[in-house]
């Protein structure tokens, strides 16, 4: 590999006034959130031209620019398509025993090491723009000649290419309801369901329409459609979800239902106007996947028994905490399913109602109609409920009504956005709730995260690097760990499915006293641990030791 400059991409961009420090800070936050390379995020957000990023790699770092036309199909097949799409790379040819690979981020040592591990060859990275690599991957792996390719070939490109944002609505609707367009969109939805994807992203770029699926919390490139299909594909998605195809410059939300391979599927659709057209995200909601037992959610035997007893409380507040995408809704619905009984009146106020549960009265907030969490919760109390589920406690008014509901004999389930269980207590105090009321009403809190499960078909032993072992507790430093090598079963990802890690805090007299005296998060956490609470990291490391997930997963999402 060519000698690398000490100057980082960030330093190069700032020095050449291609981006401001404030913009860079925002982009770094996006990089941490998505895991995408810095250069790719800058390009996607339109902050830096692709050629400027290329100049950094070629002229500053001395990395050769790849000639994608030299790709040898026999060599390309060494790396599976899914890996090429995930890491934005393309194997080109062999050179003196080394594998030459075109990469959008040729300085990514982690990816280079993984390729070396998978192929048993030294890797010689070269650089190529992300957009060119994506097109080359489509061609090299014949991504557009299978089912998708056959569908696209059946579409009259000349008639579709005249469809754009200014095309009359009737014409646009006719195109979107033609059989090939319907078949193409249905194919993407069906394939996403088979791949266990939670979301389908239809993302217009300058010259292509990118299709990405979120699988086990990570986005993967699926296809790059010709730009001329953009209006027809997006209009089809909007027609299916009963949205107004004439409205293109304002966000819209809708939903529709499908039956895929005997499974009833709800699909929630969101559109958002961007500079290159409407961005569409389809969230796939599989009713069967939401009704899970505590074992299936990932609770340990010890925590499961404690939580089951907690759910039998006659009254009080049980809070589920964690960031967006941590599985809080799944936990709440599973709890409702456990509690559901003809002898109980269970009512909910949600935003939105993602799954419809038989025998439970569910409502969705409607700001325009004056139905908010607080007003809905107040109305529910006049409906003689036994158990109430509030989608989220967002403000003081909702929190106050939830507390009063718990103190007057109701069991209340809800969520908060906090990083761990102890901080949920201080969050309620920050909202303005009196500490003694919190101590009297809150009976338990569970914080959670989702981690990917190692694919059982390609699980192999793994020896953590020394720097990783330093972060481990002494009692597990010499434990056996595993990772997924990647195979056809998991589409070369190394993971298949997700499970939860949990931090269960049950309030005892000592913790109630600490809450009443407004003790710090640290003091509450220390007392909770002394009472038997395992932290998220401790729970996660236990799953890593048991071979359920990898150390990398746990160390990335816990502190």
């Amino acid at each position: 590999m060519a000698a690398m400059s000490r100057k980082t991409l960030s330093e190069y961009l700032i020095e050449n006034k291609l981006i401001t420090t404030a913009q860079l800070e925002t982009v770094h936050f996006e990089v941490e959130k998505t895991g995408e390379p810095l250069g790719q995020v800058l390009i996607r957000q339109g902050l830096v031209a692709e050629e400027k990023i290329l100049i950094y790699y070629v002229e500053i770092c001395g990395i050769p620019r790849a000639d994608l036309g030299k790709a040898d199909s026999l060599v390309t097949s060494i790396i599976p398509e899914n890996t090429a799409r995930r890491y934005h790379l393309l194997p080109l040819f062999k050179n003196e025993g080394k594998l030459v690979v075109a990469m959008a981020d040729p300085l990514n040592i982690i990816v280079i090491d993984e390729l070396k591990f998978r192929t048993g060859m030294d890797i010689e990275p070269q650089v190529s723009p992300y957009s060119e690599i994506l097109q080359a991957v489509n061609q090299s792996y014949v991504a557009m000649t299978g089912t998708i390719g056959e569908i696209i070939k059946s579409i009259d490109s000349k008639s579709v290419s005249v469809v754009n944002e200014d095309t009359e609505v009737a014409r646009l609707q006719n195109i979107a309801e033609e059989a090939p367009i319907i078949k193409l969109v249905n194919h993407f939805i069906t394939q996403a369901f088979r791949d266990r994807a939670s979301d389908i992203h239809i993302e217009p770029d300058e010259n292509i329409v990118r299709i990405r699926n979120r699988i086990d919390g990570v986005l993967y490139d699926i296809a790059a459609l010709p730009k001329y299909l953009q209006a027809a594909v997006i209009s089809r998605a909007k027609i299916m979800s009963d949205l107004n195809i004439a409205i293109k410059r304002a966000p819209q939300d809708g939903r529709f239902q499908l039956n895929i391979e005997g499974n009833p599927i709800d699909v929630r659709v969101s559109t958002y106007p961007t500079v290159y057209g409407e961005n569409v995200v389809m969230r796939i909601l599989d009713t069967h996947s939401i009704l899970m037992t505590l074992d299936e959610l990932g609770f340990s035997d010890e925590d499961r028994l404690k939580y089951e007893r907690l759910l039998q409380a006659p009254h009080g507040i049980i809070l589920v905490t964690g960031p967006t995408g941590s599985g809080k809704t799944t936990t709440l619905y599973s709890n409702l399913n456990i509690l559901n009984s003809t002898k109980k009146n269970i009512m909910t106020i949600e935003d939105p109602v993602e799954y419809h549960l038989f025998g439970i009265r569910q409502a969705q907030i409607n700001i325009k109609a004056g139905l908010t969490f607080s007003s809905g919760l107040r109305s529910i109390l006049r409906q003689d409920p036994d158990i109430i589920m509030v989608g989220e406690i967002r403000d003081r008014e909702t929190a106050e009504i939830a507390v009063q509901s718990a103190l007057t004999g109701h069991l209340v389930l809800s969520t908060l956005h906090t990083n761990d269980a102890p901080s949920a207590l201080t969050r309620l105090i920050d909202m303005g709730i009196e500490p003694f009321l919190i101590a009297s009403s809150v009976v338990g809190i569970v914080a959670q995260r989702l981690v990917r499960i190692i694919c059982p078909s390609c699980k192999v032993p793994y020896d953590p690097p020394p720097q990783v072992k330093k972060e481990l507790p002494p009692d597990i430093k010499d434990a056996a760990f595993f990772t997924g090598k990647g195979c056809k079963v998991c589409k070369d990802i190394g993971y298949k499915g997700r499970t939860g890690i949990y931090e269960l805090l049950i309030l005892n007299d000592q913790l109630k006293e600490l809450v009443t005296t407004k003790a710090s998060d640290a003091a509450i956490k220390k007392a909770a641990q002394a009472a038997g609470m395992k932290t998220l990291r401790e729970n996660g490391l236990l799953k890593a030791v048991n071979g359920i997930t990898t150390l990398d997963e746990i160390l990335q999402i816990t502190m």
Side-chain angles (χ1 to χ4, degrees):
M1 184 172 178
M4 296 183 190
S5 168
R6 293 181 181 177
K7 189 182 300 180
T8 66
L9 176 57
S10 299
E11 292 170 340
Y12 165 77
L13 296 170
I14 294 293
E15 187 177 296
N16 288 273
K17 298 181 180 179
L18 297 172
I19 192 173
T20 67
T21 303
Q23 288 174 322
L24 190 61
E25 289 177 358
T26 302
V27 170
H28 274 304
F29 176 78
E30 181 73 7
V31 168
E32 291 177 5
K33 185 174 71 173
T34 64
E36 292 179 278
L38 172 62
Q40 187 178 322
V41 175
L42 289 166
I43 294 165
R44 177 164 56 80
Q45 295 189 351
L47 295 172
V48 180
E50 208 165 32
E51 284 299 318
K52 297 294 183 181
I53 303 292
L54 199 65
I55 289 172
Y56 165 75
Y57 288 123
V58 175
E59 298 185 5
I60 304 300
C61 301
I63 299 173
R65 177 163 184 170
D67 182 352
L68 298 178
K70 291 184 176 180
D72 183 331
S73 60
L74 293 177
V75 173
T76 297
S77 64
I78 293 174
I79 300 296
E81 179 184 349
N82 193 275
T83 298
R85 290 189 182 280
R86 188 187 349 160
Y87 294 133
H88 315 303
L89 55 85
L90 181 70
L92 299 177
F93 54 86
K94 294 178 182 178
N95 180 28
E96 298 179 356
K98 294 182 179 180
L99 179 62
V100 179
V101 181
M103 303 177 65
D105 182 13
L107 300 183
N108 193 325
I109 302 300
I110 295 175
V111 173
I112 292 172
D113 285 345
E114 182 172 336
L115 294 178
K116 185 176 181 180
F117 171 73
R118 290 175 180 272
T119 63
M121 302 173 65
D122 287 332
I123 305 300
E124 182 181 323
Q126 296 185 356
V127 65
S128 186
Y130 165 77
S131 60
E132 293 181 11
I133 285 181
L134 183 59
Q135 292 178 6
V137 165
N138 285 335
Q139 294 171 1
S140 298
Y141 288 97
V142 204
M144 304 300 280
T145 59
T147 305
I148 298 176
E150 292 169 2
I151 297 172
I152 291 177
K153 285 179 183 178
S154 68
I155 299 173
D156 184 354
S157 60
K158 291 183 179 179
S159 65
V160 176
S161 62
V162 301
V163 177
N164 54 52
E165 283 199 351
D166 298 322
T167 303
E168 60 180 287
V169 173
R171 169 73 173 143
L172 194 58
Q173 184 159 346
N174 288 337
I175 293 290
E177 291 183 343
E178 289 182 356
I181 296 297
I182 294 174
K183 190 174 181 181
L184 181 63
V185 174
N186 285 351
H187 172 82
F188 286 128
I189 297 172
T190 301
Q191 191 59 51
F193 173 77
R194 290 172 178 168
D195 290 343
R196 303 171 294 101
S198 60
D199 301 87
I200 304 168
H201 289 239
I202 303 173
E203 303 173 334
D205 283 329
E206 186 174 5
N207 300 310
I208 60 171
V209 180
R210 184 165 60 160
I211 309 296
R212 297 199 292 171
N213 287 351
R214 187 177 295 279
I215 303 172
D216 294 335
V218 180
L219 279 169
Y220 296 99
D221 286 309
I222 301 303
L225 300 180
K227 188 71 173 177
Y228 65 77
L229 288 175
Q230 176 175 314
V233 168
I234 291 174
S235 294
R236 177 60 197 163
K238 292 170 73 175
I239 288 170
M240 293 175 74
S241 46
D242 200 26
L243 299 179
N244 190 335
I245 62 174
I247 298 176
K248 302 180 180 67
R249 293 176 176 83
Q252 295 187 72
D253 294 293
R255 64 192 304 159
F256 61 88
Q257 289 185 322
L258 283 178
N259 192 294
I260 301 178
E261 298 170 356
N263 297 280
I265 303 298
D266 281 344
V267 182
R268 201 171 75 214
V269 180
S270 171
T271 71
Y272 186 78
T274 72
V275 292
Y276 294 124
E278 289 179 283
N279 199 82
V280 178
V281 176
M282 298 182 174
R283 169 149 291 186
I284 300 172
L285 307 171
D286 181 3
T287 306
H288 294 301
S289 68
I290 201 73
L291 302 179
M292 303 172 73
T293 65
L294 296 181
D295 283 332
E296 291 171 329
L297 287 173
F299 278 90
S300 65
D301 290 341
E302 180 183 355
D303 283 347
R304 176 179 56 80
L305 292 173
K306 291 179 180 178
Y307 197 60
E308 284 175 345
R309 287 196 295 268
L310 197 62
L311 288 174
Q312 299 308 314
H315 54 80
I317 299 176
I318 299 175
L319 294 171
V320 182
T321 76
T324 301
S326 60
K328 298 188 299 297
T329 299
T330 301
T331 298
L332 281 181
Y333 276 117
S334 297
N335 292 348
L336 290 178
N337 193 48
I338 292 169
L339 293 168
N340 200 0
S341 166
T342 56
K343 297 180 180 180
K344 300 286 186 181
N345 180 18
I346 304 176
M347 304 192 71
T348 77
I349 178 72
E350 308 171 49
D351 181 27
V353 173
E354 293 195 1
Y355 299 90
H356 299 282
L357 302 178
F358 178 77
I360 294 177
R361 266 59 62 195
Q362 298 171 264
Q364 181 167 312
I365 70 169
N366 185 337
I367 304 298
K368 292 181 179 178
L371 181 58
T372 63
F373 279 125
S374 56
S375 65
L377 181 52
R378 190 179 292 108
S379 297
I380 284 175
L381 291 174
R382 295 192 287 270
Q383 293 284 310
D384 186 32
D386 297 294
I387 299 169
I388 303 168
M389 192 269 270
V390 183
E392 182 184 346
I393 294 178
R394 296 177 178 174
D395 52 48
R396 177 175 178 172
E397 186 179 6
T398 306
E400 286 177 340
I401 302 170
V403 167
Q404 291 302 321
S405 302
L407 293 176
T408 53
H410 303 90
L411 181 62
V412 180
L413 309 179
S414 191
T415 70
L416 273 178
H417 283 278
T418 62
N419 291 325
D420 59 13
S423 59
L425 295 165
T426 53
R427 173 79 178 111
L428 290 173
I429 294 174
D430 292 341
M431 283 184 174
I433 307 302
E434 290 292 342
F436 74 91
L437 292 176
I438 297 171
S440 301
S441 59
V442 177
V443 294
I445 304 166
V446 58
Q448 66 179 75
R449 299 290 190 279
L450 293 177
V451 295
R452 292 182 289 177
I453 299 171
I454 301 171
C455 174
S457 299
C458 59
K459 181 191 283 189
V460 294
Y462 165 72
D463 186 27
Q467 63 268 28
V468 173
K469 285 188 176 181
K470 288 180 182 179
E471 296 188 43
L472 301 179
D475 58 327
I476 66 168
K477 282 188 176 180
D478 297 322
F481 296 99
F482 297 86
T483 189
K485 189 176 181 180
C487 64
K488 291 182 179 179
V489 173
C490 62
K491 295 186 179 293
D492 204 51
I493 295 173
Y495 297 95
K496 189 172 177 61
R498 287 194 291 179
T499 188
I501 59 173
Y502 299 92
E503 181 176 279
L504 179 59
L505 185 156
I506 298 176
L507 273 79
N508 57 22
D509 291 339
Q510 183 186 3
L511 288 169
K512 290 179 181 180
E513 179 64 28
L514 289 171
V515 172
T516 303
T517 58
K518 295 186 179 181
S520 66
D521 289 351
I524 294 173
K525 182 177 181 179
K526 184 176 180 180
Q529 286 180 278
M533 182 189 81
K534 284 187 171 61
T535 64
L536 285 166
R537 171 159 287 198
E538 289 170 340
N539 188 277
L541 289 175
L542 186 61
K543 279 187 166 58
V545 169
N546 291 333
I548 297 171
T549 189
T550 63
L551 273 178
D552 288 344
E553 281 286 287
I554 302 305
L555 297 179
Q556 283 177 12
I557 66 171
T558 62
M559 299 178 62

